[in-house]
Amino acid sequence: MEILHVSAECYPVAKAGGLGDVAGALPLYLNEAGHLAKLVMPMYRTKYLYSHSWDIVHKGYTNLGNRWFEFTVIKERTNELGFDLYLLDINGLLDREKVYGYDDDTERFTAFQIAVLDWVTAWQHQPDIVHVHDHHTALIPFMMGNCYKYVSLRHIPTVITIHNAEYQGWMGWDKSIYIPPWDMWNWGRLDWNNTINPLASGIKCASRVTTVSPNYLEELKTMSNGLEALFEYEKGKCVGILNGIDSNVWDPQTDKYITHHYSVNDFEAGKAKNKMELCERFNLDFQKPLISFIGRLVGEKGADVLPSVIGDSFWHIGRRMNFLVLGSGNHHTERELERMLEQASGDYAVYIGYNEALSHLMYAGSDFLLMPSRVEPCGLNQLYSMRYGTVPMVRRTGGLKDTVIDYEDEGGYGICYNHTSTGDISQGVFRAVELYRTKKKLNANRETMMKLDFDWKTSVQKYIEVYEQLIK
Ligand code: ADP
């Protein structure tokens, strides 16, 4: 099968979160399973672009409403990522350093989707499946099925994967002129609550919908930022498929970002060396358990409760642990976390920003990884932490519930709690400190986690099943 992935992110070209990791791995593992997967994404001005060689494969001219623009598609020459990687450039819209966060994101991603379909229409052959990801590319199923100029693509099945349903790409009906001419009788396929809702449209129009964990799919039926009824209605074509880990990038034996490699056979010594490096860098006490947080500092991740959890833990449990936070996002939370340094330096450190290398060192060198998420579609952090022998401390939600079993339950290894509240999380911190004291139990948990199979090879088979059902 030939599958074309369309995504706003792809590691290592441009990544803002888990979508980047998945888009960088899924096509590779599909290819390894004997299929032909390709990926097209916007040509942001990132380091990857300038450090690789490219061939121009297509030039086109199209429009977003009454704004006409030229676009260019380039292809990475060496196939370095293990699949055909295409970048699509639109001057004035996509030539930016960051992936998201611009006032004209609606125009940027709508123009990108139109240009992608113009390009695919010009192919000499057609892909068997078009697979889109999240709201930035979710208008594609509608456009393929309804726009007159894409009538030749109408029969191609589409799949949409929902990595995060909180963001839906809402745009007013005044922007409907952006979409190439279509049969206006079908306006309901774009609409949700009197606005154009690209994510809702993707769910309505795609042949199949996947979410990044089975439990997240269940949760979406009761909590999906306004789309609950739609998920309930469309449940027949939805399936939850857990994300995997790309072992080429995330393996403590070969990780290119860490100096002290280790495996399940020598993790105690290996983790200690990485922890020492972290503690020296952030002036933390090596003897104490190190509890880390990595992620976007937003409400979804429960980042706003971190300052009170840290303060509360020091107050009630004593200074018996270290905390280390890596992330960026909400300015208020960033400032609060920085202010905590005044009262807790020596036992607490924070790095505000995005740092891929540091995140790898933290997965390797931390004892525990805190994830008090309110919403977690799959969660990759806990999968990485387990692969690196770091005990995840998670709220029972979304993919965290699918992947982490409390160490006091049968076959368990992690620490679980029910609410994103200071009390519940601090109780988890207390249990972490206690677990750290019983080294034998801690190491047994580490060994169990490191042996768990969250490989993409397993998950990719489920995507293949979805594709096969569509092209039968
Ligand atoms: P999200 O909802 O942000 O996509 P995921 O758990 O699916 O959450 O994926 C998060 C990914 O982003 C992981 O690879 C994590 O290590 C990475 N990440 C998040 N914040 C940072 C940061 N500040 N620095 C480095 N990596 C980060």
Side-chain angles (χ1 to χ4, degrees):
M1 283 180 288
E2 181 171 342
I3 306 116
L4 177 67
H5 286 270
V6 191
S7 172
E9 299 177 33
C10 172
Y11 176 84
V13 190
K15 166 178 163 184
L19 168 61
D21 285 341
V22 175
L26 180 55
L28 167 71
Y29 286 87
L30 284 168
N31 282 356
E32 283 186 1
H35 300 281
L36 177 59
K38 308 172 168 188
L39 182 134
V40 59
M41 66 181 293
M43 182 171 132
Y44 312 110
R45 299 309 191 253
T46 61
K47 223 163 96 188
Y48 192 93
L49 171 70
Y50 299 115
S51 57
H52 288 75
S53 305
W54 306 86
D55 292 316
I56 294 180
V57 294
H58 183 79
K59 271 182 175 294
Y61 186 63
T62 188
N63 68 307
L64 179 76
N66 49 23
R67 172 178 182 169
W68 287 82
F69 61 87
E70 281 178 1
F71 67 92
T72 308
V73 184
I74 59 175
K75 179 170 179 275
E76 202 271 319
R77 200 171 278 166
T78 61
N79 214 333
E80 186 194 55
L81 301 186
F83 54 86
D84 291 346
L85 168 69
Y86 299 92
L87 306 186
L88 189 148
D89 189 29
I90 304 173
N91 261 323
L93 283 175
L94 301 178
D95 48 350
R96 316 268 170 92
E97 276 175 30
K98 281 193 303 165
V99 179
Y100 316 112
Y102 300 99
D103 289 344
D104 58 351
D105 277 356
T106 299
E107 286 72 21
R108 297 171 68 222
F109 289 111
T110 310
F112 168 67
Q113 295 175 81
I114 292 169
V116 166
L117 292 184
D118 275 30
W119 170 53
V120 179
T121 311
W123 287 16
Q124 310 243 315
H125 70 292
Q126 289 182 330
D128 296 305
I129 304 273
V130 173
H131 189 153
V132 303
H133 299 264
D134 274 354
H135 75 83
H136 329 95
T137 54
L139 287 173
I140 285 181
F142 173 85
M143 293 200 281
M144 285 171 65
N146 296 274
C147 294
Y148 302 123
K149 76 168 171 170
Y150 305 130
V151 75
S152 64
L153 308 178
R154 200 159 280 186
H155 63 283
I156 302 174
T158 51
V159 175
I160 180 165
T161 294
I162 298 175
H163 301 255
N164 193 332
E166 291 297 297
Y167 309 97
Q168 299 169 7
W170 311 267
M171 55 174 110
W173 269 100
D174 54 319
K175 307 231 161 140
S176 64
I177 50 154
Y178 289 165
I179 298 169
W182 49 283
D183 182 353
M184 294 276 187
W185 282 107
N186 292 330
W187 65 275
R189 295 178 189 170
L190 283 176
D191 186 80
W192 193 255
N193 280 343
N194 301 323
T195 49
I196 296 181
N197 183 321
L199 191 69
S201 170
I203 297 165
K204 292 179 195 183
C205 300
S207 321
R208 291 299 290 273
V209 179
T210 73
T211 61
V212 288
S213 72
N215 188 45
Y216 185 51
L217 177 56
E218 285 313 304
E219 288 179 358
L220 288 172
K221 292 177 197 158
T222 53
M223 200 179 59
S224 52
N225 209 1
L227 301 185
E228 297 77 10
L230 183 60
F231 277 107
E232 183 58 39
Y233 183 74
E234 296 284 12
K235 65 184 173 198
K237 67 177 187 191
C238 299
V239 55
I241 303 176
L242 201 65
N243 285 338
I245 293 181
D246 185 355
S247 316
N248 301 315
V249 184
W250 299 97
D251 182 347
Q253 291 187 79
T254 52
D255 191 321
K256 68 173 183 185
Y257 292 108
I258 61 175
T259 22
H260 311 292
H261 293 123
Y262 60 94
S263 72
V264 68
N265 301 319
D266 58 357
F267 61 82
E268 216 180 335
K271 284 190 72 65
K273 285 184 202 150
N274 286 295
K275 181 175 174 183
M276 185 61 88
E277 193 178 327
L278 267 181
C279 289
E280 279 172 4
R281 180 160 163 193
F282 290 99
N283 186 28
L284 298 169
D285 184 347
F286 175 80
Q287 297 304 331
K288 296 179 184 172
L290 176 56
I291 302 174
S292 292
F293 174 96
I294 301 169
R296 293 180 291 121
L297 300 177
V298 295
E300 265 175 77
K301 301 284 177 196
D304 49 304
V305 294
L306 288 175
S308 69
V309 167
I310 296 167
D312 192 80
S313 301
F314 285 148
W315 179 255
H316 286 107
I317 310 169
R319 299 220 162 187
R320 291 163 62 199
M321 75 303 274
N322 290 321
F323 289 97
L324 178 58
V325 175
L326 163 65
S328 61
N330 180 289
H331 292 302
H332 178 72
T333 308
E334 289 181 358
R335 295 296 83 76
E336 287 277 293
L337 285 165
E338 279 173 339
R339 212 167 340 181
M340 288 295 298
L341 284 171
E342 290 163 19
Q343 33 170 315
S345 74
D347 297 313
Y348 161 72
V350 60
Y351 181 109
I352 300 293
Y354 189 94
N355 189 327
E356 190 74 31
L358 176 58
S359 75
H360 285 246
L361 180 61
M362 285 171 69
Y363 289 117
S366 303
D367 297 302
F368 299 92
L369 186 90
L370 188 55
M371 296 184 75
S373 308
R374 291 191 177 87
V375 182
E376 196 59 81
C378 171
L380 289 168
N381 299 19
Q382 85 281 12
L383 302 185
Y384 299 149
S385 81
M386 293 194 279
R387 172 64 65 86
Y388 285 69
T390 299
V391 180
M393 301 167 59
V394 306
R395 176 172 168 240
R396 289 188 181 91
T397 187
L400 299 176
K401 199 167 161 186
D402 280 327
T403 52
V404 182
I405 306 173
D406 191 275
Y407 76 88
E408 279 179 10
D409 295 338
E410 204 190 323
Y413 35 82
I415 293 178
C416 304
Y417 42 89
N418 290 330
H419 304 287
T420 305
S421 66
T422 308
D424 254 29
I425 304 166
S426 302
Q427 171 67 12
V429 172
F430 178 72
R431 294 181 64 210
V433 173
E434 289 302 303
L435 179 61
Y436 188 77
R437 275 155 38 105
T438 48
K439 277 273 151 45
K440 210 166 144 205
K441 176 81 188 136
L442 174 66
N443 283 339
N445 287 356
R446 286 173 166 169
E447 191 175 334
T448 310
M449 292 185 305
M450 290 182 77
K451 286 182 177 163
L452 292 174
D453 174 18
F454 289 114
D455 210 278
W456 261 114
K457 288 194 182 88
T458 318
S459 302
V460 97
Q461 285 309 325
K462 302 204 171 121
Y463 281 102
I464 292 170
E465 275 166 34
V466 169
Y467 301 150
E468 280 172 350
Q469 286 161 5
L470 291 175
I471 60 172
K472 237 186 246 161

